Amino acid sequence: MYFGALDERKQKILKAVVNKHVETAEPVGSEILAVHYDFGVRSATIRNELAELSELGYLRQPHTSAGRVPSDMGYRFYVDRLMDPPTQDSTAANANSAAIASEIEDIISETCRMLARLTSYISLATQPTMSETTIGHVALSKVGERKLLLVVVLSDTHVEHRIIDAGVRMTAADVERIGNMTSAQYVGKTLDAAASGVEPLVQDAHPVCAQVLGTVRLIAQTLASEHDVCVEGTNYILKHPEFKDVSRLESILGALEQRRRLYLILSRAMLGPTVTVIIGSENPYVDMRDTSFVAANYAIGGRKMGTIGVVGPTRMDYRRAISAVNAMAQNLSELLTLLSLS
């Protein structure tokens, strides 16, 4: 985004407007700034600076006689250049770590709930990206004369079970041979590779062999295409005056139901190395342009696996949101990495 040149005083005034508007949710006028901040100039000069910042596109004036509020461009300039560095305080996140359940989905859901409580914004997280997950173990066993239990364990500890109706009697030797061949074909491969339909390395004449191989491939195809998003703290949206208007509230709640859309927005953070901030009109979806997203990657064993973040009004406390999201992403990475090693 192109930014017009701002001298030091304009930058200080813009920063003050953002901070005061985040605090009060009200337009900020020159008199308020003169009382609460020392710019070394009179209120009339501040008023002129506010007018120039509006002409440059950093502020907007909701009503003719009202003060100013930041525009999306103003928020972007603030986040990129004016905001004080976020603190790295993960105490609140770590305090409840021991109470979090050991399953990945439970950990992600609990982390989202904690993030929503910390920020008072709606929190979101994608489930771990499955396409690059590898198959760690395949086990096949008899559970009846004609039925088999197939167990597929992934590298992120996710486990899938399937009962296969063989239709014929199976000997222990048959089951062991087919199980070994299935392991040789799939163990160590990513879900994408397993789902691609590559021909088995070893051919087996037993009629159940193709059925077992096809079942593993179908599991891989299903998991590799899943894009679930955890959403917590929707009730916090009512705390923000921007969404007291029923039509705006209905619009954002409707957008939150579009999980595929949320996944695509959050996936933008996967391309960045640190925290990603999407402000207002930067969002490609029109019905979400009254909101901002702050998101960060989480990893398992150093490999990016998903995204966690918050969504709130563009009048967001970006410094606090970035700090909380970054801390929770780091905490989530540590928990999931420990789980993957256990």
Side-chain angles (χ1 to χ4, degrees), residues 22 78 83-87 115-121 240 294 310 316-327:
V22 166
Y78 171 83
M83 185 176 67
D84 295 329
T87 57
L115 180 57
R117 289 196 297 268
L118 281 172
T119 61
S120 293
Y121 300 130
H240 305 289
V294 175
V310 295
M316 178 186 285
D317 187 338
Y318 290 96
R319 181 172 181 267
R320 183 164 172 263
I322 290 171
S323 176
V325 167
N326 196 35

Side-chain angles (χ1 to χ4, degrees), residues 68-332:
R68 265 74 171 183
V69 299
S71 65
D72 290 348
M73 189 171 81
Y75 281 125
R76 171 54 63 192
F77 190 90
Y78 171 83
V79 169
D80 290 351
R81 305 190 187 185
L82 302 179
M83 185 176 67
D84 295 329
T87 57
Q88 295 298 324
D89 181 8
S90 59
T91 303
N94 289 327
N96 293 319
S97 295
I100 297 177
S102 59
E103 294 295 328
I104 288 179
E105 289 185 8
D106 290 340
I107 289 176
I108 292 174
S109 295
E110 179 62 21
T111 302
C112 270
R113 283 191 286 270
M114 293 165 62
L115 180 57
R117 289 196 297 268
L118 281 172
T119 61
S120 293
Y121 300 130
I122 299 169
S123 66
L124 316 95
T126 62
Q127 297 294 338
T129 302
M130 303 294 282
S131 60
E132 292 304 313
T133 301
T134 58
I135 296 176
H137 180 69
V138 175
L140 192 66
S141 59
K142 290 181 64 175
V143 291
E145 286 191 353
R146 300 172 184 270
K147 292 186 183 295
L148 302 174
L149 172 63
L150 174 66
V151 179
V152 179
V153 183
L154 306 182
S155 58
D156 63 1
T157 74
H158 182 86
V159 179
E160 291 284 329
H161 304 84
R162 296 289 189 277
I163 298 293
I164 297 176
D165 188 352
V168 296
R169 291 185 177 182
M170 302 286 294
T171 67
D174 288 335
V175 175
E176 181 179 5
R177 185 176 69 255
I178 294 173
N180 289 339
M181 201 228 30
T182 304
S183 293
Q185 171 65 18
Y186 288 115
V187 169
K189 287 189 174 180
T190 65
L191 291 178
D192 274 347
S196 66
V198 177
E199 288 299 317
L201 297 174
V202 179
Q203 298 293 333
D204 193 289
H206 199 288
V208 179
C209 181
Q211 188 178 357
V212 173
L213 290 170
T215 302
V216 176
R217 187 174 64 186
L218 182 60
I219 289 172
Q221 290 172 340
T222 300
L223 294 177
S225 63
E226 285 186 350
H227 300 302
D228 195 18
V229 177
C230 173
V231 178
E232 297 286 349
T234 306
N235 57 301
Y236 286 110
I237 198 170
L238 298 175
K239 290 180 174 288
H240 305 289
E242 290 88 343
F243 300 109
K244 296 297 184 183
D245 179 87
V246 175
S247 62
R248 296 179 75 182
L249 180 62
E250 289 179 343
S251 178
I252 184 63
L253 290 178
L256 290 172
E257 292 298 319
Q258 305 294 320
R259 298 303 169 90
R260 174 64 179 171
R261 177 188 295 184
L262 294 178
Y263 180 86
L264 292 174
I265 296 171
L266 290 170
S267 294
R268 290 177 58 179
M270 290 288 284
L271 304 176
T274 55
V275 178
T276 298
V277 180
I278 303 172
I279 299 173
S281 58
E282 297 172 358
N283 196 308
Y285 301 105
V286 175
D287 52 357
M288 300 200 78
R289 289 183 177 175
D290 287 334
T291 66
S292 289
F293 283 78
V294 175
N297 299 316
Y298 66 84
I300 299 178
R303 187 174 65 192
K304 294 179 183 178
M305 295 297 289
T307 306
I308 185 168
V310 295
V311 58
T314 53
R315 184 195 55 86
M316 178 186 285
D317 187 338
Y318 290 96
R319 181 172 181 267
R320 183 164 172 263
I322 290 171
S323 176
V325 167
N326 196 35
M328 298 304 284
Q330 292 179 9
N331 190 61
L332 183 58

